[in-house]
Each structure stands twice: as C-alpha cells, then as structure tokens.
Amino acid sequence: MTYGRTVEEPAVVERARGLLGRAFSAHGVTVVITEVEAYGGIDDPASHAFTRTPRSEIMYGPPWRLYVYRSYGLHHCANIVTGPTDRAAAVLLRAGRVVAGHALAEQRRGDVGPARLARGPGNLAAALGITLEDRGADVRTGAVRLGPPVGPPPISSGPRVGVSRAADLPWRFWVTGDPTVSAYRRSPRASSGTSGT
DNA sequence: CTGTTGATCCCG
DNA sequence: GGGATCAACAGT
C-alpha cells in the first residue's frame, strides 16, 4: 500500500470529508450525504480527469459544479467539482439518507427499504432524479443544491470502490456505522489495500 | 453471507 | 471496446 512517493494529501480529500452530513437536494428529493469518494484529478489515475477530454472538461472548470456521467450504460453518477481549478478534482457522491421527498424517491427506486433508497452512486442519482441534463449545475445556487456545512459526523475511510488504479488510496469516506452506506466490494482488479470498518 | 453474470451507452 | 454500477440469481 502506501503512497509510494511522498504525496501530500490533496484538498479534495478534506472537501470529501466535509460533504458528509450535508443535505443535498434535487428534483424534489433531499438526502443527507453519508458516503463519498475523493478523485484527485490530474494526478489521480482513477479520476476521469486524469486524461483531459470533453467528458471531463467540466472538472477543469469552477468548483461547486455538478459533474454527471453515465456508468455502464445504465446508471448516472453525480460528483461535485471541488477545485482548485487546475487540479480538476471532484467528489463522487456514493450514498445518502433520504430525509425529504420520500414518496418521490420510492417512486423512482421502487419499494426497497429506506436504507437502500439512495445507497450506491447509481441509486443515489436515481433517487434524486439526476441525469446528464444536470451537468454543470452550480450546487450553491441551482435547483440541484447542497445544504449548508454541518459539524462533521464520525467518519470512517477505506479504499475506493470499483477502481482498478490507485486502488490503495483510502479515499472513500463514510459516516461510521450508517446503514445507508453501500456495502459493495472493491474492484476485482484491485490488488492490494485494506478495508475500513 | 459470498461470487457471478447480464444489461446497456457515452466516451476515447 | 471499456467502465467510479446494479439487480438478480446461485451456491455455501
């Protein structure tokens, strides 16, 4: 594991932690964010911004904008661009607890239990009704909106889910013990690392 | 609980 | 052709 070379912890990691516990609203549903992953941008081989392309261009723009991509052809995943601008870093929203618009979220997700309504990045985006059309939204002022900062909840960390490169970085953060946190295993292509609790 | 697989599409 | 995924299914 380890960081190989000496790498200072980037700002996006602190931003990721700071998003936990905050409200996030879109299309009639509000969640409290319970699980996130930091993506470091230009230096992070797991980040979509590692190679600068039209898809990842939004990550090179101003912070607090929404980066949405389609995953495996079926799902949408929502990120918040964090800046600084020249780093193209962003935080993937992986899970949340629905606190408003419960009926609408159920309508979109089906009759799963409350803990699973917005568990997993694809499910979170689905519950919130987020699609590619929401790309570029400013989450401080738009219809897709982030709530005010809150006092940080207890936080656990571990390797990022589903990434095959830089899989040893413990850049996944979640609210300790929260039942809405996704319980997925890491990428089969990931070779090393630990798991959190 | 664990592991496997198919669905499906924007992007490089 | 691949992937920052999910749900369904089978086996332990």
PDB file of all heavy atoms in Angstrom, chain A residues 24-25 58 61-68 79-81 133-147:
ATOM      1  N   PHE A  24     -28.381  17.433   0.464  1.00  0.00           N
ATOM      2  CA  PHE A  24     -28.225  17.569  -0.978  1.00  0.00           C
ATOM      3  C   PHE A  24     -29.579  17.308  -1.617  1.00  0.00           C
ATOM      4  O   PHE A  24     -30.184  16.255  -1.404  1.00  0.00           O
ATOM      5  CB  PHE A  24     -27.170  16.577  -1.485  1.00  0.00           C
ATOM      6  CG  PHE A  24     -26.837  16.743  -2.937  1.00  0.00           C
ATOM      7  CD1 PHE A  24     -26.218  17.901  -3.392  1.00  0.00           C
ATOM      8  CD2 PHE A  24     -27.124  15.736  -3.850  1.00  0.00           C
ATOM      9  CE1 PHE A  24     -25.892  18.053  -4.737  1.00  0.00           C
ATOM     10  CE2 PHE A  24     -26.802  15.884  -5.188  1.00  0.00           C
ATOM     11  CZ  PHE A  24     -26.178  17.038  -5.632  1.00  0.00           C
ATOM     12  N   SER A  25     -30.064  18.286  -2.379  1.00  0.00           N
ATOM     13  CA  SER A  25     -31.422  18.216  -2.918  1.00  0.00           C
ATOM     14  C   SER A  25     -31.422  18.289  -4.429  1.00  0.00           C
ATOM     15  O   SER A  25     -30.644  19.048  -5.022  1.00  0.00           O
ATOM     16  CB  SER A  25     -32.265  19.370  -2.377  1.00  0.00           C
ATOM     17  OG  SER A  25     -32.213  19.420  -0.975  1.00  0.00           O
ATOM     18  N   ILE A  58     -15.607  19.555 -17.620  1.00  0.00           N
ATOM     19  CA  ILE A  58     -16.302  20.273 -16.546  1.00  0.00           C
ATOM     20  C   ILE A  58     -15.496  20.262 -15.255  1.00  0.00           C
ATOM     21  O   ILE A  58     -15.548  21.191 -14.455  1.00  0.00           O
ATOM     22  CB  ILE A  58     -17.698  19.648 -16.313  1.00  0.00           C
ATOM     23  CG1 ILE A  58     -18.451  20.372 -15.195  1.00  0.00           C
ATOM     24  CG2 ILE A  58     -17.615  18.191 -15.938  1.00  0.00           C
ATOM     25  CD1 ILE A  58     -19.262  21.505 -15.641  1.00  0.00           C
ATOM     26  N   GLY A  61     -13.266  23.142 -14.668  1.00  0.00           N
ATOM     27  CA  GLY A  61     -13.919  24.426 -14.502  1.00  0.00           C
ATOM     28  C   GLY A  61     -14.023  24.828 -13.047  1.00  0.00           C
ATOM     29  O   GLY A  61     -13.371  24.249 -12.176  1.00  0.00           O
ATOM     30  N   PRO A  62     -14.868  25.794 -12.756  1.00  0.00           N
ATOM     31  CA  PRO A  62     -15.020  26.312 -11.390  1.00  0.00           C
ATOM     32  C   PRO A  62     -15.567  25.246 -10.448  1.00  0.00           C
ATOM     33  O   PRO A  62     -16.268  24.334 -10.892  1.00  0.00           O
ATOM     34  CB  PRO A  62     -16.036  27.456 -11.548  1.00  0.00           C
ATOM     35  CG  PRO A  62     -16.161  27.714 -13.002  1.00  0.00           C
ATOM     36  CD  PRO A  62     -15.726  26.482 -13.721  1.00  0.00           C
ATOM     37  N   PRO A  63     -15.259  25.351  -9.171  1.00  0.00           N
ATOM     38  CA  PRO A  63     -15.775  24.405  -8.179  1.00  0.00           C
ATOM     39  C   PRO A  63     -17.265  24.584  -7.940  1.00  0.00           C
ATOM     40  O   PRO A  63     -17.867  25.560  -8.380  1.00  0.00           O
ATOM     41  CB  PRO A  63     -14.972  24.717  -6.922  1.00  0.00           C
ATOM     42  CG  PRO A  63     -14.510  26.123  -7.102  1.00  0.00           C
ATOM     43  CD  PRO A  63     -14.333  26.319  -8.575  1.00  0.00           C
ATOM     44  N   TRP A  64     -17.819  23.635  -7.226  1.00  0.00           N
ATOM     45  CA  TRP A  64     -19.231  23.619  -6.845  1.00  0.00           C
ATOM     46  C   TRP A  64     -20.159  23.423  -8.036  1.00  0.00           C
ATOM     47  O   TRP A  64     -21.319  23.777  -7.994  1.00  0.00           O
ATOM     48  CB  TRP A  64     -19.618  24.881  -6.070  1.00  0.00           C
ATOM     49  CG  TRP A  64     -18.753  25.097  -4.884  1.00  0.00           C
ATOM     50  CD1 TRP A  64     -17.866  26.126  -4.700  1.00  0.00           C
ATOM     51  CD2 TRP A  64     -18.643  24.259  -3.741  1.00  0.00           C
ATOM     52  NE1 TRP A  64     -17.210  25.968  -3.501  1.00  0.00           N
ATOM     53  CE2 TRP A  64     -17.674  24.833  -2.883  1.00  0.00           C
ATOM     54  CE3 TRP A  64     -19.266  23.073  -3.342  1.00  0.00           C
ATOM     55  CZ2 TRP A  64     -17.322  24.257  -1.664  1.00  0.00           C
ATOM     56  CZ3 TRP A  64     -18.913  22.516  -2.133  1.00  0.00           C
ATOM     57  CH2 TRP A  64     -17.957  23.115  -1.300  1.00  0.00           C
ATOM     58  N   ARG A  65     -19.627  22.823  -9.081  1.00  0.00           N
ATOM     59  CA  ARG A  65     -20.498  22.453 -10.196  1.00  0.00           C
ATOM     60  C   ARG A  65     -20.637  20.941 -10.233  1.00  0.00           C
ATOM     61  O   ARG A  65     -19.793  20.195  -9.750  1.00  0.00           O
ATOM     62  CB  ARG A  65     -19.904  22.969 -11.500  1.00  0.00           C
ATOM     63  CG  ARG A  65     -19.746  24.488 -11.480  1.00  0.00           C
ATOM     64  CD  ARG A  65     -20.554  25.157 -12.535  1.00  0.00           C
ATOM     65  NE  ARG A  65     -19.802  25.229 -13.764  1.00  0.00           N
ATOM     66  CZ  ARG A  65     -19.518  26.365 -14.387  1.00  0.00           C
ATOM     67  NH1 ARG A  65     -19.908  27.517 -13.890  1.00  0.00           N
ATOM     68  NH2 ARG A  65     -18.855  26.342 -15.508  1.00  0.00           N
ATOM     69  N   LEU A  66     -21.726  20.513 -10.835  1.00  0.00           N
ATOM     70  CA  LEU A  66     -22.048  19.096 -10.874  1.00  0.00           C
ATOM     71  C   LEU A  66     -21.399  18.425 -12.091  1.00  0.00           C
ATOM     72  O   LEU A  66     -21.555  18.882 -13.222  1.00  0.00           O
ATOM     73  CB  LEU A  66     -23.574  18.939 -10.939  1.00  0.00           C
ATOM     74  CG  LEU A  66     -24.190  17.667 -10.362  1.00  0.00           C
ATOM     75  CD1 LEU A  66     -23.851  17.506  -8.888  1.00  0.00           C
ATOM     76  CD2 LEU A  66     -25.692  17.708 -10.563  1.00  0.00           C
ATOM     77  N   TYR A  67     -20.672  17.368 -11.844  1.00  0.00           N
ATOM     78  CA  TYR A  67     -20.160  16.521 -12.915  1.00  0.00           C
ATOM     79  C   TYR A  67     -20.933  15.206 -12.887  1.00  0.00           C
ATOM     80  O   TYR A  67     -20.885  14.472 -11.913  1.00  0.00           O
ATOM     81  CB  TYR A  67     -18.660  16.257 -12.730  1.00  0.00           C
ATOM     82  CG  TYR A  67     -18.121  15.152 -13.616  1.00  0.00           C
ATOM     83  CD1 TYR A  67     -18.287  15.209 -15.000  1.00  0.00           C
ATOM     84  CD2 TYR A  67     -17.467  14.053 -13.080  1.00  0.00           C
ATOM     85  CE1 TYR A  67     -17.813  14.206 -15.818  1.00  0.00           C
ATOM     86  CE2 TYR A  67     -16.984  13.040 -13.890  1.00  0.00           C
ATOM     87  CZ  TYR A  67     -17.155  13.117 -15.256  1.00  0.00           C
ATOM     88  OH  TYR A  67     -16.673  12.110 -16.063  1.00  0.00           O
ATOM     89  N   VAL A  68     -21.699  14.961 -13.948  1.00  0.00           N
ATOM     90  CA  VAL A  68     -22.510  13.749 -14.045  1.00  0.00           C
ATOM     91  C   VAL A  68     -22.015  12.925 -15.214  1.00  0.00           C
ATOM     92  O   VAL A  68     -21.739  13.457 -16.288  1.00  0.00           O
ATOM     93  CB  VAL A  68     -23.997  14.093 -14.244  1.00  0.00           C
ATOM     94  CG1 VAL A  68     -24.840  12.816 -14.282  1.00  0.00           C
ATOM     95  CG2 VAL A  68     -24.495  15.021 -13.146  1.00  0.00           C
ATOM     96  N   ASN A  79     -21.066  13.883  -9.195  1.00  0.00           N
ATOM     97  CA  ASN A  79     -19.885  14.385  -8.498  1.00  0.00           C
ATOM     98  C   ASN A  79     -20.009  15.877  -8.281  1.00  0.00           C
ATOM     99  O   ASN A  79     -20.666  16.566  -9.062  1.00  0.00           O
ATOM    100  CB  ASN A  79     -18.609  14.195  -9.333  1.00  0.00           C
ATOM    101  CG  ASN A  79     -18.321  12.762  -9.684  1.00  0.00           C
ATOM    102  OD1 ASN A  79     -17.375  12.175  -9.196  1.00  0.00           O
ATOM    103  ND2 ASN A  79     -19.119  12.189 -10.564  1.00  0.00           N
ATOM    104  N   ILE A  80     -19.328  16.372  -7.255  1.00  0.00           N
ATOM    105  CA  ILE A  80     -19.197  17.805  -7.068  1.00  0.00           C
ATOM    106  C   ILE A  80     -17.746  18.192  -7.316  1.00  0.00           C
ATOM    107  O   ILE A  80     -16.830  17.678  -6.650  1.00  0.00           O
ATOM    108  CB  ILE A  80     -19.637  18.215  -5.648  1.00  0.00           C
ATOM    109  CG1 ILE A  80     -21.138  17.963  -5.488  1.00  0.00           C
ATOM    110  CG2 ILE A  80     -19.304  19.690  -5.389  1.00  0.00           C
ATOM    111  CD1 ILE A  80     -21.674  18.237  -4.100  1.00  0.00           C
ATOM    112  N   VAL A  81     -17.552  19.066  -8.306  1.00  0.00           N
ATOM    113  CA  VAL A  81     -16.206  19.548  -8.611  1.00  0.00           C
ATOM    114  C   VAL A  81     -15.728  20.412  -7.444  1.00  0.00           C
ATOM    115  O   VAL A  81     -16.479  21.236  -6.929  1.00  0.00           O
ATOM    116  CB  VAL A  81     -16.213  20.359  -9.923  1.00  0.00           C
ATOM    117  CG1 VAL A  81     -14.836  20.961 -10.207  1.00  0.00           C
ATOM    118  CG2 VAL A  81     -16.669  19.480 -11.083  1.00  0.00           C
ATOM    119  N   GLU A 133     -28.549  15.786 -17.943  1.00  0.00           N
ATOM    120  CA  GLU A 133     -29.040  17.153 -18.132  1.00  0.00           C
ATOM    121  C   GLU A 133     -28.667  18.066 -16.974  1.00  0.00           C
ATOM    122  O   GLU A 133     -28.733  19.284 -17.095  1.00  0.00           O
ATOM    123  CB  GLU A 133     -30.559  17.133 -18.309  1.00  0.00           C
ATOM    124  CG  GLU A 133     -30.996  16.258 -19.474  1.00  0.00           C
ATOM    125  CD  GLU A 133     -32.371  16.638 -19.989  1.00  0.00           C
ATOM    126  OE1 GLU A 133     -33.116  17.307 -19.248  1.00  0.00           O
ATOM    127  OE2 GLU A 133     -32.678  16.258 -21.137  1.00  0.00           O
ATOM    128  N   ASP A 134     -28.297  17.484 -15.861  1.00  0.00           N
ATOM    129  CA  ASP A 134     -27.918  18.288 -14.694  1.00  0.00           C
ATOM    130  C   ASP A 134     -26.435  18.644 -14.682  1.00  0.00           C
ATOM    131  O   ASP A 134     -25.965  19.331 -13.762  1.00  0.00           O
ATOM    132  CB  ASP A 134     -28.283  17.533 -13.405  1.00  0.00           C
ATOM    133  CG  ASP A 134     -29.788  17.352 -13.258  1.00  0.00           C
ATOM    134  OD1 ASP A 134     -30.505  18.363 -13.325  1.00  0.00           O
ATOM    135  OD2 ASP A 134     -30.237  16.205 -13.103  1.00  0.00           O
ATOM    136  N   ARG A 135     -25.703  18.187 -15.675  1.00  0.00           N
ATOM    137  CA  ARG A 135     -24.279  18.511 -15.738  1.00  0.00           C
ATOM    138  C   ARG A 135     -24.069  20.015 -15.716  1.00  0.00           C
ATOM    139  O   ARG A 135     -24.775  20.767 -16.394  1.00  0.00           O
ATOM    140  CB  ARG A 135     -23.664  17.964 -17.032  1.00  0.00           C
ATOM    141  CG  ARG A 135     -23.249  16.510 -16.944  1.00  0.00           C
ATOM    142  CD  ARG A 135     -22.618  16.058 -18.229  1.00  0.00           C
ATOM    143  NE  ARG A 135     -23.556  16.200 -19.360  1.00  0.00           N
ATOM    144  CZ  ARG A 135     -23.293  15.778 -20.583  1.00  0.00           C
ATOM    145  NH1 ARG A 135     -22.136  15.211 -20.843  1.00  0.00           N
ATOM    146  NH2 ARG A 135     -24.173  15.939 -21.543  1.00  0.00           N
ATOM    147  N   GLY A 136     -23.089  20.422 -14.932  1.00  0.00           N
ATOM    148  CA  GLY A 136     -22.732  21.831 -14.914  1.00  0.00           C
ATOM    149  C   GLY A 136     -23.541  22.679 -13.961  1.00  0.00           C
ATOM    150  O   GLY A 136     -23.241  23.865 -13.795  1.00  0.00           O
ATOM    151  N   ALA A 137     -24.556  22.107 -13.331  1.00  0.00           N
ATOM    152  CA  ALA A 137     -25.347  22.888 -12.380  1.00  0.00           C
ATOM    153  C   ALA A 137     -24.464  23.365 -11.228  1.00  0.00           C
ATOM    154  O   ALA A 137     -23.617  22.634 -10.733  1.00  0.00           O
ATOM    155  CB  ALA A 137     -26.500  22.028 -11.857  1.00  0.00           C
ATOM    156  N   ASP A 138     -24.691  24.595 -10.820  1.00  0.00           N
ATOM    157  CA  ASP A 138     -23.983  25.142  -9.655  1.00  0.00           C
ATOM    158  C   ASP A 138     -24.753  24.739  -8.407  1.00  0.00           C
ATOM    159  O   ASP A 138     -25.880  25.176  -8.213  1.00  0.00           O
ATOM    160  CB  ASP A 138     -23.879  26.657  -9.778  1.00  0.00           C
ATOM    161  CG  ASP A 138     -22.989  27.259  -8.691  1.00  0.00           C
ATOM    162  OD1 ASP A 138     -23.012  26.760  -7.536  1.00  0.00           O
ATOM    163  OD2 ASP A 138     -22.267  28.219  -8.983  1.00  0.00           O
ATOM    164  N   VAL A 139     -24.150  23.913  -7.578  1.00  0.00           N
ATOM    165  CA  VAL A 139     -24.887  23.351  -6.441  1.00  0.00           C
ATOM    166  C   VAL A 139     -25.053  24.344  -5.296  1.00  0.00           C
ATOM    167  O   VAL A 139     -25.662  24.018  -4.289  1.00  0.00           O
ATOM    168  CB  VAL A 139     -24.217  22.067  -5.915  1.00  0.00           C
ATOM    169  CG1 VAL A 139     -24.187  20.997  -6.995  1.00  0.00           C
ATOM    170  CG2 VAL A 139     -22.815  22.352  -5.394  1.00  0.00           C
ATOM    171  N   ARG A 140     -24.518  25.534  -5.428  1.00  0.00           N
ATOM    172  CA  ARG A 140     -24.742  26.555  -4.408  1.00  0.00           C
ATOM    173  C   ARG A 140     -25.962  27.390  -4.727  1.00  0.00           C
ATOM    174  O   ARG A 140     -26.573  27.987  -3.841  1.00  0.00           O
ATOM    175  CB  ARG A 140     -23.524  27.481  -4.287  1.00  0.00           C
ATOM    176  CG  ARG A 140     -22.277  26.791  -3.817  1.00  0.00           C
ATOM    177  CD  ARG A 140     -21.071  27.677  -4.040  1.00  0.00           C
ATOM    178  NE  ARG A 140     -20.976  28.065  -5.452  1.00  0.00           N
ATOM    179  CZ  ARG A 140     -20.014  28.828  -5.943  1.00  0.00           C
ATOM    180  NH1 ARG A 140     -19.081  29.304  -5.143  1.00  0.00           N
ATOM    181  NH2 ARG A 140     -19.985  29.116  -7.219  1.00  0.00           N
ATOM    182  N   THR A 141     -26.336  27.450  -6.007  1.00  0.00           N
ATOM    183  CA  THR A 141     -27.399  28.373  -6.398  1.00  0.00           C
ATOM    184  C   THR A 141     -28.499  27.738  -7.233  1.00  0.00           C
ATOM    185  O   THR A 141     -29.541  28.354  -7.447  1.00  0.00           O
ATOM    186  CB  THR A 141     -26.812  29.533  -7.219  1.00  0.00           C
ATOM    187  OG1 THR A 141     -26.182  28.984  -8.381  1.00  0.00           O
ATOM    188  CG2 THR A 141     -25.798  30.311  -6.409  1.00  0.00           C
ATOM    189  N   GLY A 142     -28.292  26.538  -7.733  1.00  0.00           N
ATOM    190  CA  GLY A 142     -29.215  25.963  -8.702  1.00  0.00           C
ATOM    191  C   GLY A 142     -30.327  25.151  -8.073  1.00  0.00           C
ATOM    192  O   GLY A 142     -30.505  25.126  -6.855  1.00  0.00           O
ATOM    193  N   ALA A 143     -31.084  24.476  -8.939  1.00  0.00           N
ATOM    194  CA  ALA A 143     -32.153  23.604  -8.480  1.00  0.00           C
ATOM    195  C   ALA A 143     -31.588  22.339  -7.837  1.00  0.00           C
ATOM    196  O   ALA A 143     -32.219  21.717  -7.000  1.00  0.00           O
ATOM    197  CB  ALA A 143     -33.059  23.231  -9.649  1.00  0.00           C
ATOM    198  N   VAL A 144     -30.414  21.957  -8.260  1.00  0.00           N
ATOM    199  CA  VAL A 144     -29.680  20.883  -7.590  1.00  0.00           C
ATOM    200  C   VAL A 144     -28.768  21.556  -6.579  1.00  0.00           C
ATOM    201  O   VAL A 144     -27.833  22.260  -6.949  1.00  0.00           O
ATOM    202  CB  VAL A 144     -28.857  20.059  -8.592  1.00  0.00           C
ATOM    203  CG1 VAL A 144     -28.068  18.985  -7.866  1.00  0.00           C
ATOM    204  CG2 VAL A 144     -29.769  19.449  -9.643  1.00  0.00           C
ATOM    205  N   ARG A 145     -29.070  21.373  -5.300  1.00  0.00           N
ATOM    206  CA  ARG A 145     -28.447  22.252  -4.318  1.00  0.00           C
ATOM    207  C   ARG A 145     -27.885  21.514  -3.110  1.00  0.00           C
ATOM    208  O   ARG A 145     -28.501  20.594  -2.583  1.00  0.00           O
ATOM    209  CB  ARG A 145     -29.466  23.285  -3.817  1.00  0.00           C
ATOM    210  CG  ARG A 145     -28.832  24.341  -2.937  1.00  0.00           C
ATOM    211  CD  ARG A 145     -29.823  25.417  -2.613  1.00  0.00           C
ATOM    212  NE  ARG A 145     -30.350  26.067  -3.823  1.00  0.00           N
ATOM    213  CZ  ARG A 145     -30.402  27.381  -3.971  1.00  0.00           C
ATOM    214  NH1 ARG A 145     -29.980  28.170  -3.020  1.00  0.00           N
ATOM    215  NH2 ARG A 145     -30.909  27.895  -5.049  1.00  0.00           N
ATOM    216  N   LEU A 146     -26.739  22.005  -2.695  1.00  0.00           N
ATOM    217  CA  LEU A 146     -26.082  21.492  -1.498  1.00  0.00           C
ATOM    218  C   LEU A 146     -26.484  22.327  -0.299  1.00  0.00           C
ATOM    219  O   LEU A 146     -26.540  23.556  -0.379  1.00  0.00           O
ATOM    220  CB  LEU A 146     -24.571  21.573  -1.716  1.00  0.00           C
ATOM    221  CG  LEU A 146     -23.633  20.882  -0.726  1.00  0.00           C
ATOM    222  CD1 LEU A 146     -23.847  19.374  -0.722  1.00  0.00           C
ATOM    223  CD2 LEU A 146     -22.191  21.228  -1.077  1.00  0.00           C
ATOM    224  N   GLY A 147     -26.780  21.664   0.815  1.00  0.00           N
ATOM    225  CA  GLY A 147     -27.131  22.369   2.029  1.00  0.00           C
ATOM    226  C   GLY A 147     -25.896  22.995   2.675  1.00  0.00           C
ATOM    227  O   GLY A 147     -24.778  22.794   2.223  1.00  0.00           O
TER     228      GLY A 147
END
